[in-house]
């Protein structure tokens, strides 16, 4: 539930938007990307959001359906245009975003009285974001959806901190705390955890998320960029795993791939260490590609990345073109096309999502790099589910 829009990414790297000449169009928005990522892994997914009554809105409906995401709960808000987001590509760790969501984005016009609470309540997974808390009526709707989920597995709050979406960023923490009281899983990077809890140390931040939730939370996931990812369960068990190396093309969307693989692994009943390794691999694969939504990996690709030890998969150009990616960073990028989405499988027989056994994987936390550019309606890339190599680190979410 939440953000949906159109991503326009330049097909040239290492230049600003003032010099970029050609762009590729993609479905975007972090929750939409997570839905696509989970669908790629065989899960049946749907999105609750809104678009404008315009050609970009028509495009987004078509794209969701082509990706295998149910769009029946994506409605029109005729008074607001469908939002557009541009980025710049400065690999390996700088991907400034420019959001065009004014005067207001349709996804912030989601209303509580229009929600299908029965569908939200009965879904095996519900994914909400911090952006949904930044303005009314979306804030009330997001909290209503989370309350309807109270006590149900798996209810995820992605902290998803975007300061430019808040009229007063200082007001965010109480709203995060209210949302956390109804979530069973919290996911955020170090910056997001600091906003939500005041803590930046990974383990202290994870414990603070549990404190803020008041007993509902079962799993806290803290993404540390090149420091890997930490997960702590309510029973004190957990895992900390290192990132997967990758030659970075575009770090945006890596955190969304991580999210889709995270919920897939939880639904499959995998131990938390395996869940994190697969989620890290998914994020690394997307960081090695141009697009976000159309770059989301299939399960065999995640297995390949874990087997080979890199998120940079086969360099055959025909294969890259089919996957919608091109890892050559010193010339124009070819966004290519995409294979048809795989039909979703009904996961009704999957085991429970919160295995409680510890995993020994461990890496030292590190603070991820910060983008260098400034100005405009932009945000620096926010390091997420990190992958680190000589080529750099992955960063950010759509």
């Amino acid at each position: 539930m939440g953000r949906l829009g159109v991503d326009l990414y330049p097909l040239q790297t290492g230049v600003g938007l003032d010099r970029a000449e050609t762009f590729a169009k993609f479905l975007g928005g972090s929750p939409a990307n997570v839905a696509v990522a989970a669908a790629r892994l065989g899960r049946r997914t749907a999105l609750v959001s809104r678009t404008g009554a315009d050609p970009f809105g028509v495009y987004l409906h078509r794209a969701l359906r082509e990706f295998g995401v149910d769009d029946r709960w994506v409605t029109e808000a005729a008074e607001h245009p469908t939002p557009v987001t541009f980025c710049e590509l400065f690999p390996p760790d700088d991907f400034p975003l420019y959001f065009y969501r004014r005067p207001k984005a349709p996804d912030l016009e989601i209303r509580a009285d229009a929600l299908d609470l029965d569908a939200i309540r009965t879904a095996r997974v519900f994914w909400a974001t911090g952006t949904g808390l930044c303005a009314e009526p979306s804030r009330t709707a997001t909290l209503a959806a989370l309350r309807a989920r109270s006590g149900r597995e798996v209810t995820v709050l992605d902290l998803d901190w975007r300061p430019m979406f808040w009229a007063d960023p200082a007001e965010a923490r109480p709203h995060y705390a209210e949302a956390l009281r109804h979530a069973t899983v919290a996911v955020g990077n170090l910056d997001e955890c600091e906003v939500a809890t005041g803590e930046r140390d990974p383990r202290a931040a994870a414990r603070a998320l549990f404190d803020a939730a008041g007993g509902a939370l079962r799993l806290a996931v803290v993404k540390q960029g090149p420091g890997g990812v930490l997960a702590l369960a309510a029973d004190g068990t957990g895992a900390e795993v290192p990132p997967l190396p990758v030659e970075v093309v575009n770090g945006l969307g890596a955190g969304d791939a991580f999210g889709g693989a995270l919920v897939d692994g939880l639904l499959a009943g995998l131990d938390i260490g395996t869940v994190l390794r697969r989620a890290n691999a998914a994020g690394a694969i997307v960081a090695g590609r141009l697009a976000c939504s159309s770059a989301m990996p299939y399960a065999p690709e995640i297995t390949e990345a874990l087997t080979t030890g890199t998120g940079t998969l086969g360099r055959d150009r025909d294969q890259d073109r089919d996957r919608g990616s091109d890892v050559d960073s010193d010339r124009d990028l070819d966004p290519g096309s995409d294979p048809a989405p795989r039909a979703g499988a009904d996961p009704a027989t999957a085991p429970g999502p919160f295995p409680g056994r510890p995993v020994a994987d461990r890496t030292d936390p590190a603070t991820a790099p910060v983008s260098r550019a400034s100005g405009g309606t932009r945000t620096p890339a926010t390091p997420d589910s990190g992958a680190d190599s000589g080529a750099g680190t992955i960063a950010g979410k759509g």
Side-chain angles (χ1 to χ4, degrees):
M1 175 175 171
R3 199 159 73 248
L4 173 65
V6 174
D7 287 346
L8 291 173
Y9 288 175
L11 300 185
Q12 296 81 38
T13 61
V15 300
L17 288 178
D18 59 313
R19 295 179 57 201
E21 296 180 352
T22 54
F23 298 82
K25 178 180 66 177
F26 304 101
L27 177 146
S30 182
N33 285 338
V34 171
V36 170
R40 282 280 170 92
L41 298 175
R43 301 294 176 180
R44 292 183 298 129
T45 67
L47 181 68
V48 179
S49 190
R50 305 193 75 181
T51 71
D54 51 37
F56 276 151
V58 174
Y59 160 72
L60 291 173
H61 276 278
R62 185 175 69 247
L64 286 168
R65 292 191 296 266
E66 289 173 350
F67 283 126
V69 177
D70 192 330
D71 67 336
R72 77 181 82 174
W73 293 290
V74 178
T75 60
E76 287 186 353
E79 64 275 24
H80 299 293
T82 299
V84 175
T85 301
F86 289 86
C87 79
E88 295 173 327
L89 303 175
F90 296 101
D93 60 6
D94 193 9
F95 307 98
L97 283 168
Y98 297 80
F99 292 96
Y100 291 80
R101 292 169 58 87
R102 295 176 180 171
K104 192 176 187 181
D107 53 68
L108 294 179
E109 284 292 317
I110 300 173
R111 297 181 179 275
D113 59 7
L115 294 176
D116 186 342
L117 292 179
D118 287 337
I120 290 170
R121 189 178 295 112
T122 57
R124 293 192 66 214
V125 173
F126 180 70
W127 183 285
T129 74
T131 293
L133 303 172
C134 74
E136 294 290 4
S138 174
R139 179 184 303 145
T140 295
T142 299
L143 293 173
L146 288 168
R147 290 189 192 102
R149 292 283 304 180
S150 289
R152 291 188 60 84
E153 306 177 8
V154 176
T155 303
V156 184
L157 179 66
D158 179 1
L159 300 181
D160 188 34
W161 170 243
R162 299 292 188 187
M164 73 291 302
F165 295 167
W166 292 77
D168 182 0
E171 295 180 352
R173 190 171 299 171
H175 298 303
Y176 276 116
E178 173 63 20
L180 283 166
R181 284 194 280 272
H182 306 286
T184 61
V185 180
V187 181
N189 62 34
L190 294 174
D191 290 338
E192 292 166 339
C193 289
E194 185 174 22
V195 169
T197 69
E199 296 286 352
R200 189 171 182 87
D201 173 79
R203 289 187 173 272
R207 289 191 291 267
L209 288 170
F210 282 109
D211 292 341
L217 202 65
R218 303 181 192 180
L219 186 69
V221 180
V222 181
K223 296 177 286 186
Q224 306 169 61
V229 59
L230 165 73
L232 288 182
D235 64 1
T237 63
E240 193 166 0
V241 303
L244 196 69
V246 63
E247 183 178 347
V248 176
V249 174
N250 181 5
L252 304 173
D256 304 331
F258 179 99
L262 173 72
V263 296
D264 175 67
L266 292 176
L267 285 173
L270 303 177
D271 69 83
I272 193 61
T274 300
V275 171
L276 295 185
R277 282 189 288 272
R278 290 181 62 81
N280 259 355
I285 291 167
V286 172
R289 298 172 173 175
L290 170 63
C292 293
S293 53
S294 61
M296 297 299 167
Y298 295 91
E301 294 177 298
I302 294 176
T303 300
E304 178 185 349
L306 290 171
T307 300
T308 59
T310 176
T312 305
L313 301 184
R315 298 297 298 272
D316 178 81
R317 291 189 61 84
D318 289 337
Q319 184 182 43
D320 284 343
R321 188 175 297 111
D322 288 341
R323 290 173 178 162
S325 67
D326 189 323
V327 293
D328 293 336
S329 60
D330 58 352
R331 60 179 179 176
D332 287 1
L333 298 174
D334 176 8
S337 59
D338 216 63
R342 189 173 57 182
D346 188 343
T349 59
F354 296 113
R357 54 183 181 274
V359 177
D361 297 291
R362 184 71 185 270
T363 186
D364 291 332
T367 300
V370 177
S371 173
R372 67 173 182 272
S374 63
T377 308
R378 71 171 291 281
T379 179
T382 305
D384 266 340
S385 59
D388 190 21
S389 71
T393 56
I394 68 172
K397 73 177 79 177

